[in-house]
Amino acid sequence: MYQWLEADRHGKSQDAANTTSVICVLRSDAFFFFSFLQLCMPKGLSFRTQTDNKDPQFHSFIITREDGSRTYGFVLTFYEEVTSKQICTAMQTLYQMHNAEHYSSVYASSSCSMDSLASSLDEGDTTSLLKLQRYNSYDISRDTLYVSKSICLITPLPFMQACKKFLIQLYKAVTSQQPPPLPLESYIHNILYEVPLPPPGRSLKFYGVYEPVVCQRPGPSELPLSDYPLREAFELLGLENLVQVFTCVLLEMQILLYSQDYQRLMTVAEGITTLLFPFQWQHVYVPILPASLLHFLDAPVPYLMGLQSKEGTDRSKLELPQEANLCFVDIDNHFIELPEEFPQFPNKVDFIQELSEVLLQFGIPPEGSLHCSESTSKLKNLVLKDLVNDKKNGNVSPNNISMYELLKGNETIARLQALAKRTGVAVEKMDLSASLGEKDKDLKLQCEEAELRDYQLNVQLREVFANRFTQMFADYEAFVIQTAQDMESWLTNREQMQNFDKASFLSDQPEPYLPFLSRFIETQMFATFIDNKIMSQWEEKDPLLRVFDSRIDKIRLYNVRAPTLRTSIYQKCNTLKEAAQSIEQRLMKMDHTAIHPHLLDMKIGQGKYEQGFFPKLQSDVLATGPANNNRWVNRSATAQRRKERLRQHSEHVGLDNDLREGASKKVP
């Protein structure tokens, strides 16, 4: 990339830069490509020694273009041994310079005598200073140096779980003692060119290095694809906090997420924005803000951004302007700071109660379960481990220990039981780990079940949120003002036209809703929603709007009422079971299996395996796909895309017919 930029800057040909066709595609969008590089390794290169933690880390990111389209990146960062003696020597010199500078700065801050230096430091500082050169150093003769490396998949849709599994398998293939069955190019070529996008309402199985990977897409009448686990977002924030942050997002305030972990930033940001259906966040959206872009926080506009916290730093050291309108979310500490004044979400108490029931059915405490410190979690695990292994003093059998019995006196469990009793939810005895001594369980089956439960929890939580908006805006269409006769005149006069009768709409709402609705209908996301409704009379309806309108039609079909008979009585979601069954059917029965990875036409010596080192991939092998499947170079790409749209449309029609037939069979 550097060679290409230099050649481009000096006006040289692309051949002089020795670039591949992939880089040439990015020629007009170099800044976009650099954004990917920054977000793949937000901290830049990181060096470790054999004494440091070198476990691979997964995180994802998102880039939103000016037209609103999104591109997702999924990254696995790991560490490789540095084999260059020059780099190792340079690193030792850097450590020596750093320690010398640190030592001299501490020394200069005191008097010139060593005695006064020692007396000016407390015992802990003195100890750390004496051990500085021993522990905070790198010795080329003693230590092994490692450097971070990232592999990234870039996709147009957020297939997070599938991408994560694929990347982990690539990493295992590199670190395994045995070479993978095929060169890594075979697996990467397969996912680039031979794994199709599953059509809406269908599931797909493709193959990684060792195991198959499954992904699925919702049908045309379902909520849009969302693959980030809402379970983690609720565990990280707790239900009450999440609903409060969700309300701030709806009112388009400034929301700053704060965590040491990049993936936690993405999980919370994507989790909250996916709950906005049928609305969409219209402002600055940067779940992972690189250090070089911190000035974005000064922007006097609504934003939803994520900032990585440094270990040991606290909230007081952040300099954030206009804090009166800021919602600060400290994810790691399970803490939020809300703006001074803002209205509560309508029927908030009933809404939280309904969400609590869903969470409890999946064994998740509504107040969150990840707000305790890591040291506390480790301590609890050690205690349980001791009880299992201690046959003499544990007083319980190691083969049938019950987590419920161990925790039944726990304050959190007691609160959950009381809440379940009040809400009328029947919670059976929790057999969280019926036999901790069973080490030979089928882990693969457990993972599949856990994945299915995450998908089902995702869709049920989203259905509850979507149902609230469906109930609140069931009659919105009656207040849409459509005065323009054609699309061109409407676009020309858009800024001067009133598209929604806000006064009449508010006068028709229950009084408890008014504080929230009066502010929400002034937001950009609501204005865009109404604009899409008006535009739908001239062009294809926005997908989110189409799904939302179909849900309103169902309400009118099953619950006929006049628009003026609004009520604030809370109505629960009645589509939870149906939504969960759709997910289960897709994941239990695959609609399509992709072509298996296979040997490529590679030269002798290419694809060589070296344990612990990710190989330099052969660009000539990966630059083009099969002649009959490479749409990038196919001259008839336009006709091919038209055929693809017709094929997908026919599949959608067939799927709709299947759904209708299934529904007709259920009707007595």
Side-chain angles (χ1 to χ4, degrees), residues 12 79 131 133 176 187 193 206 267-268 279 306 367 481 526 544 568 616:
K12 296 180 181 180
Y79 288 86
K131 294 181 178 179
Q133 291 187 344
S176 173
Y187 303 101
Y193 299 108
F206 66 96
T267 297
V268 173
F279 309 103
E367 69 267 32
I481 302 174
F526 184 76
L544 296 183
S568 59
K616 181 180 179 181

Side-chain angles (χ1 to χ4, degrees), residues 32-316:
F32 190 61
F33 184 70
F34 272 121
S35 299
F36 280 115
L37 297 182
Q38 273 192 312
L39 291 168
C40 281
M41 306 183 79
K43 296 180 182 177
L45 286 179
S46 176
F47 289 89
R48 304 281 173 92
T49 66
Q50 74 281 356
T51 60
D52 299 315
N53 177 29
K54 298 183 293 297
D55 294 336
Q57 298 291 324
F58 173 83
H59 80 273
S60 55
F61 62 83
I62 184 173
I63 289 182
T64 306
R65 292 177 178 265
E66 292 182 358
D67 62 358
S69 62
R70 292 182 172 183
T71 303
Y72 294 84
F74 303 98
V75 186
L76 189 71
T77 301
F78 53 96
Y79 288 86
E80 283 188 358
E81 182 180 346
V82 177
T83 57
S84 169
K85 290 186 177 180
Q86 290 180 320
I87 295 177
C88 293
T89 303
M91 182 59 66
Q92 179 169 320
T93 303
L94 284 173
Y95 262 104
Q96 292 171 347
M97 293 172 59
H98 168 74
N99 289 338
E101 181 180 353
H102 180 71
Y103 182 87
S104 62
S105 64
V106 173
Y107 183 81
S109 64
S110 65
S111 63
C112 294
S113 80
M114 185 59 71
D115 292 338
S116 61
L117 172 62
S119 63
S120 65
L121 299 172
D122 59 29
E123 183 178 354
D125 291 335
T126 305
T127 303
S128 62
L129 187 62
L130 293 175
K131 294 181 178 179
L132 181 65
Q133 291 187 344
R134 180 178 178 184
Y135 293 105
N136 190 26
S137 63
Y138 166 70
D139 188 336
I140 193 173
S141 63
R142 180 189 69 214
D143 299 318
T144 303
L145 187 65
Y146 296 86
V147 65
S148 59
K149 178 176 282 190
S150 291
I151 49 178
C152 175
L153 273 177
I154 298 170
T155 67
L157 292 175
F159 291 110
M160 191 203 75
Q161 302 290 353
C163 290
K164 182 178 181 179
K165 289 181 180 179
F166 182 81
L167 291 174
I168 289 176
Q169 291 190 45
L170 283 183
Y171 170 73
K172 288 182 178 179
V174 172
T175 56
S176 173
Q177 294 183 353
Q178 299 295 327
L182 298 170
L184 293 189
E185 283 85 351
S186 293
Y187 303 101
I188 296 172
H189 184 276
N190 178 253
I191 199 172
L192 285 177
Y193 299 108
E194 297 169 337
V195 176
L197 193 67
R202 308 287 177 169
S203 56
L204 168 74
K205 179 168 70 175
F206 66 96
Y207 289 86
V209 182
Y210 301 111
E211 296 176 349
V213 181
V214 172
C215 58
Q216 56 91 27
R217 287 178 71 185
S221 61
E222 297 178 67
L223 295 174
L225 175 67
S226 176
D227 208 29
Y228 285 82
L230 286 173
R231 170 185 53 80
E232 293 183 15
F234 279 85
E235 287 176 336
L236 288 167
L237 294 185
L239 176 53
E240 174 79 23
N241 284 345
L242 189 140
V243 171
Q244 292 289 66
V245 176
F246 172 74
T247 306
C248 291
V249 173
L250 283 172
L251 299 178
E252 296 185 339
M253 298 179 178
Q254 293 178 329
I255 296 93
L256 179 62
L257 308 177
Y258 195 59
S259 173
Q260 291 186 36
D261 188 279
Y262 292 124
Q263 187 58 16
R264 285 186 174 186
L265 296 173
M266 276 295 298
T267 297
V268 173
E270 282 292 289
I272 290 178
T273 54
T274 197
L275 296 174
L276 296 175
F277 170 88
F279 309 103
Q280 291 179 289
W281 179 258
Q282 301 291 317
H283 301 280
V284 177
Y285 182 63
V286 189
I288 298 177
L289 185 67
S292 60
L293 301 178
L294 287 181
H295 59 278
F296 276 23
L297 296 176
D298 297 328
V301 296
Y303 60 68
L304 176 51
M305 291 193 275
L307 182 64
Q308 190 207 25
S309 60
K310 300 289 180 63
E311 188 173 359
T313 60
D314 55 24
R315 165 76 172 84
S316 61

Side-chain angles (χ1 to χ4, degrees), residues 479-616:
F479 304 96
V480 175
I481 302 174
Q482 299 182 354
T483 56
Q485 298 299 318
D486 58 87
M487 182 174 172
E488 185 177 351
S489 63
W490 181 81
L491 290 173
T492 303
N493 302 296
R494 168 67 185 87
E495 297 300 325
Q496 292 78 32
M497 298 176 65
Q498 183 181 2
N499 298 319
F500 191 74
D501 190 349
K502 298 175 182 178
S504 298
F505 174 77
L506 292 175
S507 65
D508 189 53
Q509 305 307 310
E511 187 174 351
Y513 290 16
L514 296 181
F516 172 81
L517 287 177
S518 60
R519 288 186 57 175
F520 177 68
I521 63 175
E522 298 293 339
T523 61
Q524 184 62 44
M525 72 174 73
F526 184 76
T528 302
F529 172 76
I530 297 301
D531 285 352
N532 288 337
K533 180 63 178 178
I534 295 175
M535 294 279 287
S536 66
Q537 62 182 316
W538 300 303
E539 62 180 24
E540 187 176 355
K541 187 177 287 190
D542 176 79
L544 296 183
L545 180 64
R546 175 175 49 78
V547 176
F548 186 66
D549 282 351
S550 68
R551 289 169 175 249
I552 291 178
D553 291 339
K554 278 188 177 180
I555 288 182
R556 291 173 179 167
L557 182 63
Y558 294 109
N559 185 23
V560 179
R561 60 176 173 78
T564 55
L565 299 180
R566 296 292 299 178
T567 175
S568 59
I569 297 176
Y570 191 85
Q571 299 181 37
K572 286 187 175 183
C573 179
N574 57 9
T575 59
L576 299 184
K577 186 176 181 180
E578 177 185 345
Q581 287 176 342
S582 298
I583 294 288
E584 184 173 6
Q585 289 172 1
R586 280 197 294 271
L587 291 179
M588 291 301 179
K589 181 182 178 182
M590 292 298 103
D591 295 306
H592 182 67
T593 300
I595 299 174
H596 286 240
H598 51 84
L599 278 174
L600 303 175
D601 186 14
M602 300 177 67
K603 300 176 183 177
I604 297 176
Q606 288 184 336
K608 185 179 179 181
Y609 170 77
E610 186 176 0
Q611 184 183 359
F613 295 90
F614 197 90
K616 181 180 179 181

